């Protein structure tokens, strides 16, 4: 009977050790889950900020390019107006020639 009582005490001790290990594992898993959630939120926030900054930078570049193109178009328009005022007959002949070429191309 001493061996049966010894086995029961050993099994009881093993069960309590196993239960303690399971409790510790649950606590560790809970800590890990919380840490992963915080890391995910931080990563999402960082990615969102980077995307917003990228969009702002692209918008600023687009506005600068549009402004530059608009300025260039105004300069070309001013040059054409000046050229037509300086040489109206030549400008009329060039316009007629360009119109004739477009008519030929449109027929085909």
């Amino acid at each position: 009977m001493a061996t049966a009582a010894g086995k029961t005490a050993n099994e009881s001790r093993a069960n309590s050790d196993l239960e303690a290990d399971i409790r510790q594992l649950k606590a560790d898993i809970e800590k890990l889950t919380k840490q992963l959630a915080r890391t995910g939120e931080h990563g999402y926030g960082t990615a969102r900020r980077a995307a917003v900054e990228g969009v702002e930078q692209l918008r600023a570049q687009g506005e600068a390019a549009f402004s530059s193109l608009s300025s260039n178009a105004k300069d070309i328009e001013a040059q054409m107006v000046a050229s037509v005022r300086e040489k109206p007959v030549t400008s009329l002949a060039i316009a007629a020639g360009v119109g004739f070429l477009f008519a030929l191309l449109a027929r085909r």
Side-chain angles (χ1 to χ4, degrees):
M1 286 245 209
T3 47
K7 284 184 182 180
T8 304
N10 285 341
E11 288 175 0
S12 176
R13 192 174 315 128
N15 283 341
S16 71
D17 288 345
L18 187 58
E19 288 174 1
D21 289 345
I22 290 173
R23 280 192 302 274
Q24 183 61 42
L25 278 173
K26 284 182 180 179
D28 290 345
I29 289 172
E30 186 176 332
K31 286 179 188 176
L32 252 172
T33 303
K34 288 178 182 177
Q35 185 176 8
L36 285 174
R38 283 192 303 267
T39 302
E41 289 171 1
H42 176 70
Y44 172 75
T46 301
R48 182 178 170 96
R49 279 190 300 278
V52 167
E53 289 172 6
V55 165
E56 288 298 318
Q57 183 179 11
L58 288 175
R59 185 185 58 77
Q61 288 175 351
E63 287 177 354
F66 179 75
S67 175
S68 175
L69 287 174
S70 177
S71 176
N72 289 344
K74 287 178 184 176
D75 290 345
I76 291 170
E77 180 185 6
Q79 288 175 359
M80 288 179 69
V81 166
S83 177
V84 167
R85 286 190 180 156
E86 286 177 17
K87 301 176 185 175
V89 176
T90 306
S91 299
L92 184 61
I94 290 173
V98 170
F100 180 72
L101 287 175
F102 278 130
L104 284 177
L105 291 174
R107 260 200 248 168
R108 293 181 183 201

